[in-house]
Amino acid sequence: MQRPFLARKILALFLTTLLMPTTVSAVQILKYSDHEPLGGMRTSFIKDVFFAEIEKESQGRLKVDAHWNSELARSYDALGVVKEGTVADMAIVVPEYTPKEFPLQQIFKSFPVGPTGARQVEFFRKAYATIPAFQAEVARQNVVNLFLATGYPVAFFSTKPLNKLDDITGQKWRSASFWHQDFLKNSGAIPVSMPWGEGIYDALKAGSLDGLMVNVDSGYELNVHKTAPNVLISKDLWLGHVYLLVMNKDTWNKLADEDKQAIQRAASKAYQTLGSVMDSSFDSMVGELAHNGVKIRQLSSTEVAHWESATQYQQVQEKWVKEQESKGVKEAGPTMDKVTALLKESMK
């Protein structure tokens, strides 16, 4: 006899529950810009590891809307775009492309030899964490650094047989870095500056360019080895290339503390595997080049030391420091000393 009453009570309870206001955490979409296409080691790692960890650590509150291959901004425009913060909330910024804004961060590429893999990752993390001048340069641009990605070692791609690095003497070699152009000149080569792209491939094919000094993955991706199939490599040949994954400072400041902490945890977790991923990817590239008939050889430690000496990099650094100090960059000398000490420590 009590069943109708009980049924009405259950129905009322159900309707009350259904109509109660629910609290749903809002999802914040962060728009990201990258100048490189998705598919390389760095871009894939950022998407599949770092961004995935951000979503996981924030329990889905943060999601990244990633745009690749300069869809939102070219590499040289990325800092200005993320600094302004309308087109993109986050972006990859390369200090080498913005020397006016980041004069001191040009120091990283001034060394011919350095660490690789996990040790390279640790070096950059320590440099940005312990050298105030780098922190100040970033802060002045209205951005916050979230993650540091790094590049592969330098390789020498030659159109002619390359038995040793001394063979570059008198030849025309291209490098984008002003540091590396001085290294090539001091080593007896004729440095050539030309835009990155198919023109390099054509110049190598035509014989107007003898070789390319570049990070091994860039040469590989441009298929330089098809016209310059003689390659010398070493994991100790330092490129010093760093990619700053930064966020607009105003966007960062508006994030809840729990979301800021989630991003920091995501970066910490990503760093744990970045070095090993870089090493395995490097080995895979070298293996594929060899499989495709490229004459690729690892330099011995003696050969690397000979190259380091031939570049006369310390004199090049001293000249650069004087030039920067004459322009009012007073921290050039002290910062160079700090980076030198940190690099030596990382190589032990």
Side-chain angles (χ1 to χ4, degrees), residues 127-200:
Y128 282 93
T130 64
I131 300 177
F134 295 146
Q135 300 170 16
E137 280 191 342
V138 173
R140 280 195 292 269
Q141 297 306 313
N142 195 44
V143 296
V144 175
N145 188 59
L146 306 181
F147 188 74
L148 295 164
T150 66
Y152 284 101
V154 165
F156 291 82
F157 292 82
S158 175
T159 59
K160 303 172 183 177
L162 198 61
N163 298 313
K164 57 186 184 302
L165 277 177
D166 287 343
D167 291 343
I168 69 175
T169 300
Q171 296 182 355
K172 294 181 180 179
W173 280 73
R174 186 267 185 192
S175 177
S177 168
F178 66 87
W179 297 106
H180 293 170
Q181 289 173 13
D182 279 345
F183 294 172
L184 288 167
K185 181 179 179 180
N186 290 340
S187 301
I190 302 170
V192 175
S193 177
M194 60 186 303
W196 182 253
E198 292 298 325
I200 292 174

Side-chain angles (χ1 to χ4, degrees), residues 223-241:
N223 289 318
V224 170
H225 53 279
K226 291 185 177 180
T227 52
N230 306 283
V231 184
L232 294 180
I233 60 171
S234 170
K235 285 187 176 181
D236 293 330
L237 289 177
W238 173 254
L239 179 67
H241 203 63

Side-chain angles (χ1 to χ4, degrees), residues 23-24 26-27 35 47 54 70 79 117 119 158 165-166 168 171 174 193 195-196 204 207-208 244 254 264 283 317 322:
T23 302
V24 178
V27 174
H35 60 278
K47 176 182 180 292
I54 287 178
S70 299
L79 179 59
R119 289 191 301 161
S158 175
L165 277 177
D166 287 343
I168 69 175
Q171 296 182 355
R174 186 267 185 192
S193 177
W196 182 253
L204 289 167
S208 56
L244 306 181
K254 292 176 184 177
Q264 291 167 342
D283 293 339
Q317 288 176 337
K322 290 180 181 178

Side-chain angles (χ1 to χ4, degrees), residues 36-45 221 281:
E36 291 184 358
L38 181 62
M41 187 285 299
R42 180 187 65 77
T43 52
S44 295
F45 186 89
E221 291 168 4
S281 182

